[in-house]
Amino acid sequence: MRVVESLNGALHRMMAADPEVVLIGEDVLDPYGGAFKVSKGLSTAFPGQVITTPISEAGLVGVAVGMSLQGFKPVAEIMFGDFVTLAMDQIINHAAKFPWMFGLAALPLVVRVPMGGYRGYGPTHSQSLEALFMAVPGLTMVALSHLHDPGALLERATLDAGVPILFVENKSLYPVELEEGDMVGGLHRRVLDPRRPYPSVALSAAPDERPDVTLVAYGGLVPMAVRVAAEAMIEDEILVEVVVPAQLRPLPIEDILVSAEASGRVLVIEEGPRVGGWGAHVAADLTERAFGRLKAPVARIGARDVPIPSARQMEAQMLPAAGDVLAGIRDLMGKS
Amino acid sequence: MIEAVDIYRKMILIRRFEELLLELFSAGKLSGTTHTYVGQEPVAIAVASHLGPGDCVFSNHRCHGHYIAHTGDIEGLLAEIMGRTGGVCGGRGGSQHLHRGNFYSNGIQGGFMPIVVGMALAEKKRARGNVVVAFIGDGTLGEGAVYEALNMAALWSVPLLVVVENNRYAQSTPITLGVAGSIPDRGRCFGLSVGESDGWDVTGLTARFGTLVAQVRNEGRPHMEVVETYRLNAHSKGDDTRATMEVAAFRARDPVEHWGRGLPPGLRAAVDAEVAGRLAETLAAVEAMPLAQLAEVG
């Protein structure tokens, strides 16, 4: 099953089971079914639960907040994650504040944001804006990957969380097949603290051995991280443990800390710009907690500090590449 | 129909509450800011007197009058503004961010307009016959979210009553510098039904909102009512840059004073004393409350 099918299936299941689950977004009606087809078939099967809106991102997220206040469980679809900037006021000054400020028992709200590049969509359709939301208390941010069950994450966010959630879907993952077995790209997978709603996943060629390097990745860079970890093992005999959080905020730092303390060397990779990035927060948190046990400063790889270009070769020069990640691992091991 | 003396009791309670806040500020007992509703009292009362327990109200930074008219909870409001444990939002919200039952307010201009459309859409889907009321001002008409919301409200035909209190100023900016074209036309261009009311005609305003609330409730479609009014005090505390003559002319038309003069003098004095006593008791009770602490509110 592909990621897009997992999400679409989850929406179908939720809407069938609960008439208070509603999808709100632009161009979400059939036969179009949403720009990335996550919403396909929903308006046909559940016409009363799918609301197509004008081009009004602030408007549609606000409508979702209002429906949530009145007991519905809305899922708002932002067509391209970049457009969430238009709804920042709704998310930051309204949704994220309301539960705490008003003492609400619940404010179920999921805002789905298709983020990410590597597809040549250009400066306003390819960004990864997750870092902007790191500084918003009251907001939970979840990023799916093909290692998680994306539909299950979406169901938990919609039905169980009762708080505003920014649900990050990296566009490059939509067509990717889910990895459902214990082995992923030659690495053993284990779920860290499965009791949590959005558990982190760890991958290692030799999970019982102390890793040389901890590689932290989320979302669209997870397939790259898996490939590079396998390559580092084969070519350099460097044992890389990949840690993949599904929850970006609040950050489950403990999941990363265990591996970081074992390896002493951490590389954080992300698609968003390195400056002010998500990885900067991870690095700071790890440094505060595990400075004495680290063998090197926490290293980071992210996008270069320029807007994301359209031309594929320029985009490739701007975004992290597998070669950068492998070089970063070798640097940490003093093998560059 | 609400009695004349009850209208006065509600208006003078809001008026004296706001005056008390200004006194507390002068005495250094309040922090932050406050946006008083002095002069606009009839609007809140006219709307509130027609709403039922299932109806929702969303208000703005100038929300004390709306809150008191809707809930009567002066103790929870004063405690909230004074950061005491009995505050309706536990001290998290303060003057501008209130929630009790179906009443909400937020300190962002225009941002709640899409939210009230969502609330009204939810009510339409539930078919419970409830209406949603949004209070905005002339200044808020500069915000784009308002127009996204009016567009969707009209497209989806939801039970929403938008009350535009045109008090002629956005903070220090007069409508001549802030609002192009006609305010009613801004609603009409989306196909909303639109009306205009006189904020000094207390009787007419009360009757008018009786008609409008019933219309929105029964027909289930949005209406925008533009009420001409004037705030007699500064935007917040002492930041008034308006011409003294202009303010004095409106102060001579103070709707609360005018309504009070229509009551038998003995009755008015009794209500004044009752309200003064209630406020003094409330202040004493609130000042005796412990200060709210972050650890307690989570």
Side-chain angles (χ1 to χ4, degrees):
Chain A
M1 184 189 291
R2 298 180 302 143
V3 166
V4 65
E5 293 160 349
S6 174
L7 295 170
N8 181 258
L11 286 165
H12 273 276
R13 280 195 303 279
M14 285 193 283
M15 287 191 178
D18 188 344
E20 294 184 332
V21 173
V22 290
L23 180 84
I24 304 169
E26 297 161 8
D27 299 287
V28 291
L29 296 187
D30 292 333
Y32 192 68
F36 295 101
K37 310 306 168 197
V38 175
S39 307
K40 194 136 188 87
L42 293 169
S43 70
T44 303
F46 312 102
Q49 290 164 257
V50 180
I51 302 161
T52 199
T53 74
I55 301 177
S56 301
E57 285 78 13
L60 76 90
V61 173
V63 165
V65 174
M67 294 192 81
S68 180
L69 285 172
Q70 295 301 87
F72 283 83
K73 300 179 185 79
V75 176
E77 175 172 309
I78 302 291
M79 185 186 285
F80 280 76
D82 311 65
F83 311 159
V84 78
T85 54
L86 292 153
M88 290 289 258
D89 179 52
Q90 286 302 325
I91 294 170
I92 297 174
N93 285 322
H94 295 79
K97 298 286 177 294
F98 283 4
W100 185 85
M101 177 169 98
F102 291 153
L104 302 178
L107 187 80
L109 171 71
V110 173
V111 181
R112 296 181 30 241
V113 279
M115 293 288 191
Y118 298 100
R119 293 174 61 153
Y121 284 140
T124 63
H125 288 63
S126 304
Q127 298 168 89
S128 295
L129 298 176
E130 292 87 312
L132 296 183
F133 295 93
M134 283 302 284
V136 184
L139 187 67
T140 299
M141 183 160 44
V142 174
L144 63 80
S145 85
H146 70 313
L147 302 182
H148 294 89
D149 179 341
L153 294 183
L154 183 59
E155 285 187 76
R156 276 170 223 147
T158 307
L159 301 176
D160 304 334
V163 294
I165 292 184
L166 193 75
F167 194 83
V168 180
E169 302 171 2
N170 192 289
K171 294 190 287 286
S172 69
L173 289 172
Y174 285 136
V176 173
E177 286 289 327
L178 297 187
E179 289 286 356
E180 290 170 304
D182 292 337
M183 295 298 291
V184 179
L187 308 178
H188 297 267
R189 165 171 47 194
R190 64 185 198 284
V191 177
L192 305 175
D193 201 350
R195 292 165 300 176
R196 285 215 306 267
Y198 318 107
S200 305
V201 170
L203 302 162
S204 175
D208 298 329
E209 287 181 39
R210 178 181 287 266
D212 298 310
V213 172
T214 299
L215 177 59
V216 182
Y218 73 85
L221 288 191
V222 176
M224 181 192 290
V226 172
R227 286 198 307 276
V228 171
E231 196 174 336
M233 187 70 193
I234 293 163
E235 293 197 2
D236 299 76
E237 294 186 350
I238 300 172
L239 182 54
V240 176
E241 181 164 65
V242 183
V243 180
V244 180
Q247 184 174 304
L248 304 185
R249 169 185 223 293
L251 181 69
I253 189 70
E254 295 75 16
D255 293 345
I256 304 169
L257 201 58
V258 172
S259 180
E261 289 182 329
S263 67
R265 301 181 191 92
V266 182
L267 175 62
V268 188
I269 63 172
E270 64 189 312
E271 258 197 75
R274 203 171 164 278
V275 177
W278 177 81
H281 178 74
V282 174
D285 229 359
L286 286 176
T287 305
E288 283 178 353
R289 289 164 190 260
F291 182 74
R293 293 176 292 283
L294 295 177
K295 296 170 184 163
V298 176
R300 295 187 291 131
I301 291 174
R304 291 174 58 185
D305 195 23
V306 292
I308 187 165
S310 293
R312 294 300 294 269
Q313 73 283 0
M314 288 168 68
E315 187 191 51
Q317 289 155 14
M318 183 265 188
L319 292 175
D324 302 329
V325 180
L326 189 58
I329 289 168
R330 287 173 176 157
D331 277 351
L332 277 172
M333 295 301 292
K335 289 189 175 181
S336 55
Chain B
M1 196 64 197
I2 187 166
E3 298 277 342
V5 66
D6 292 330
I7 291 176
Y8 180 71
R9 184 180 287 109
K10 287 170 192 278
M11 288 203 294
I12 202 69
L13 179 63
I14 295 170
R15 173 65 58 89
R16 296 283 176 259
F17 184 91
E18 299 286 48
E19 290 171 351
L20 173 63
L21 291 185
L22 294 173
E23 288 167 22
L24 292 170
F25 260 110
S26 299
K29 292 186 174 182
L30 295 187
S31 59
T33 190
T34 187
H35 307 95
T36 67
Y37 198 59
V38 171
Q40 300 177 217
E41 295 90 342
V43 190
I45 290 159
V47 176
S49 58
H50 302 291
L51 298 181
D55 298 326
C56 301
V57 176
F58 217 119
S59 172
N60 52 59
H61 61 298
R62 201 172 301 287
C63 55
H64 305 161
H66 305 141
Y67 181 81
I68 294 170
H70 197 70
T71 70
D73 174 28
I74 56 170
E75 184 169 289
L77 178 56
L78 187 62
E80 181 63 30
I81 294 169
M82 297 190 80
R84 299 302 206 275
T85 50
V88 65
C89 292
R92 303 173 186 91
S95 168
Q96 303 184 67
H97 317 95
L98 305 173
H99 165 56
R100 178 174 163 161
N102 288 334
F103 184 96
Y104 301 87
S105 70
N106 202 16
I108 296 287
Q109 296 299 322
F112 64 80
M113 284 297 289
I115 295 176
V116 293
V117 174
M119 295 169 86
L121 181 61
E123 287 303 335
K124 178 178 181 169
K125 285 182 178 291
R126 298 229 196 271
R128 296 184 291 210
N130 294 326
V131 303
V132 179
V133 177
F135 286 99
I136 61 173
D138 49 288
T140 305
L141 297 172
E143 292 285 359
V146 172
Y147 304 99
E148 294 191 17
L150 295 179
N151 187 40
M152 292 186 292
L155 280 170
W156 302 337
S157 194
V158 295
L160 174 66
L161 175 60
V162 180
V163 182
V164 182
E165 293 182 84
N166 176 15
N167 68 15
R168 306 180 187 212
Y169 286 88
Q171 194 148 337
S172 71
T173 303
I175 50 172
T176 50
L177 298 179
V179 182
S182 135
I183 294 177
D185 281 355
R186 289 174 180 224
R188 289 191 192 108
C189 77
F190 291 102
L192 269 69
S193 72
V194 176
E196 296 176 75
S197 303
D198 176 353
W200 290 270
D201 174 9
V202 177
T203 309
L205 203 60
T206 305
R208 172 78 178 150
F209 277 107
T211 304
L212 291 176
V213 169
Q215 174 192 308
V216 171
R217 195 186 306 284
N218 297 333
E219 299 178 10
R221 58 189 177 85
H223 178 89
M224 179 171 126
E225 186 72 3
V226 183
V227 185
E228 297 298 325
T229 183
Y230 193 84
R231 89 174 128 73
L232 294 173
N233 278 22
H235 163 71
S236 56
K237 288 167 286 184
D239 53 350
D240 207 351
T241 52
R242 299 173 300 180
T244 312
M245 290 289 285
E246 178 189 298
V247 178
F250 280 104
R251 198 167 284 284
R253 300 175 60 199
D254 181 344
V256 177
E257 182 59 30
H258 184 75
W259 191 260
R261 278 202 297 269
L263 295 176
L267 182 58
R268 183 184 181 187
V271 173
D272 286 347
E274 173 199 321
V275 166
R278 192 178 161 199
L279 278 173
E281 283 171 23
T282 302
L283 179 61
V286 167
E287 287 196 304
M289 291 175 181
L291 291 168
Q293 303 299 326
L294 190 59
E296 291 159 12
V297 299

